[in-house]
């Protein structure tokens, strides 16, 4: 039987690329996102390969998260793989100049959203004593860089939660792993710079960054290991990147 994978933030970037590779490798897919048009477009694309169900909700909305996941039809209700991918950076300001709305958005999406979705799905994994949770972090969860303050704090929280989940869920045979990318060329920078495409493009000039498909391929590799193998923590960088602040640009 095909396994069921639920992916948050599935309408762009890493989430979309992950849905595409898993759909082509015999997973049934639950696409989660806020943009109905993109969900429908991706569902139509992936339905050529597998069964697809969409859930439209904002991970910040606790009630919507639980109502949506509890509404899953029987064919999708037994989730084997959860990919906690939804996350955003908002702004790049010093702590003293930080925007409170940006802070709230990052904490609500990157931390609370991950917790809400996990809380809705974990009980059934515990019942079955089976499941795999992949938490998408960032190099910002391993290092702090100038003006990264609250974003880095939120991704440090993801790193801590990934470790804590692995400990707490160990008695139930549930695999938990974190994947922490460095510079990946997605919509990430456009969101951070509030739609300023020029600023966003400059982030990736002079070197080849990671692509969403690179991380999706790694996610597929991690979840396809034999069940006794749990890849717990991966930091993934483009070759040009040595740390959060050191990138070899030509």
């Amino acid at each position: 039987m095909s396994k069921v994978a639920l992916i948050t933030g599935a309408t762009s970037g890493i989430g979309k690329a992950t849905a595409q590779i898993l759909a082509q490798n015999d997973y049934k897919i639950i696409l989660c996102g806020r943009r109905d048009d993109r969900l429908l477009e991706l569902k139509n694309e992936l339905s050529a390969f597998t069964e697809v169900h969409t859930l439209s909700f904002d991970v910040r909305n606790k009630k919507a998260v639980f109502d949506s996941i509890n509404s899953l039809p029987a064919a999708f209700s037994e989730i084997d793989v959860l990919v906690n991918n939804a996350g955003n950076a908002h702004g790049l300001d010093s702590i003293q100049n930080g925007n409170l709305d940006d802070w709230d958005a990052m904490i609500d999406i990157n931390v609370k959203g991950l917790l809400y979705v996990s809380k809705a799905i974990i009980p059934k994994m515990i019942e079955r004593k089976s499941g795999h949770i992949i938490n998408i972090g960032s190099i910002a969860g391993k290092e702090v860089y100038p003006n990264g303050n609250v974003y880095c704090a939120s991704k440090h929280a993801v790193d801590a939660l990934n470790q804590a989940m692995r400990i707490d869920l160990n008695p139930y045979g549930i695999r938990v792993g974190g994947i922490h990318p460095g510079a990946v060329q997605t919509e990430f920078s456009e969101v951070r710079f509030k739609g300023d495409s020029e600023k966003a493009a400059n982030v990736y000039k002079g070197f080849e960054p990671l692509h969403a498909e690179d991380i999706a391929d790694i996610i597929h590799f991690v979840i396809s290991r034999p069940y006794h193998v749990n890849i717990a923590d991966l930091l993934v960088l483009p070759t040009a990147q040595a740390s959060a602040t050191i990138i070899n640009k030509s």
Side-chain angles (χ1 to χ4, degrees), residues 2-7 10 15-16 18-32 42-43 46 50-55 72 76:
S2 298
K3 290 185 176 181
V4 177
L6 184 146
I7 303 163
K16 181 178 180 180
T18 300
Q20 289 168 326
I21 192 170
L22 296 190
Q24 295 175 51
N25 282 276
D26 202 30
Y27 285 84
K28 294 195 291 187
I29 307 295
I30 303 168
L31 302 170
C32 303
L42 187 56
K43 179 182 180 180
L46 300 186
T50 188
E51 295 178 60
V52 182
H53 187 79
T54 62
L55 294 176
L72 285 168
F76 291 90

Side-chain angles (χ1 to χ4, degrees), residues 14 23 26 29 31 43 49 60 71 73 78 92 97 122 130 146 150-151 165 190 192 206 212 217 224 242:
I14 293 170
D26 202 30
I29 307 295
L31 302 170
K43 179 182 180 180
F49 305 101
R60 293 175 287 188
S71 76
E78 302 289 326
L92 192 64
N97 294 320
I122 285 171
S130 175
V150 175
Y151 176 69
M165 280 185 188
E190 285 198 29
R192 165 165 267 178
D217 188 44
S224 63

Side-chain angles (χ1 to χ4, degrees), residues 4-8 30-32 55 57 59 62 64-72 76-85 113-135 165 169 172 174-176:
V4 177
L6 184 146
I7 303 163
T8 65
I30 303 168
L31 302 170
C32 303
L55 294 176
F57 63 85
V59 296
K62 179 167 40 177
V65 169
F66 282 86
D67 287 350
S68 296
I69 291 172
N70 290 335
S71 76
L72 285 168
F76 291 90
S77 63
E78 302 289 326
I79 295 165
D80 299 287
V81 177
L82 164 60
V83 181
N84 277 317
N85 167 72
L114 179 149
L115 286 169
Y116 294 159
V117 174
S118 300
K119 179 68 170 175
I121 290 171
I122 285 171
K124 283 193 174 182
M125 288 186 172
I126 288 176
E127 282 179 18
R128 299 195 315 272
K129 293 192 174 180
S130 175
H132 200 160
I133 299 171
I134 299 294
N135 297 307
M165 280 185 188
L169 299 177
Y172 307 102
I174 296 169
R175 295 193 288 183
V176 180

Side-chain angles (χ1 to χ4, degrees), residues 1 22 44 54 65-66 91 139 163 165 170 173 175 225 227:
M1 292 178 62
L22 296 190
N44 290 338
T54 62
V65 169
F66 282 86
I139 191 173
Q163 296 175 56
M165 280 185 188
N170 176 262
R175 295 193 288 183
R225 295 309 86 206
Y227 205 82

Side-chain angles (χ1 to χ4, degrees), residues 136-164:
I136 303 301
S138 167
I139 191 173
K142 303 292 188 179
E143 302 178 44
V144 177
Y145 52 81
N147 299 328
N149 45 76
V150 175
Y151 176 69
C152 292
S154 72
K155 287 301 187 177
H156 272 66
V158 172
D159 189 29
L161 287 169
N162 180 65
Q163 296 175 56

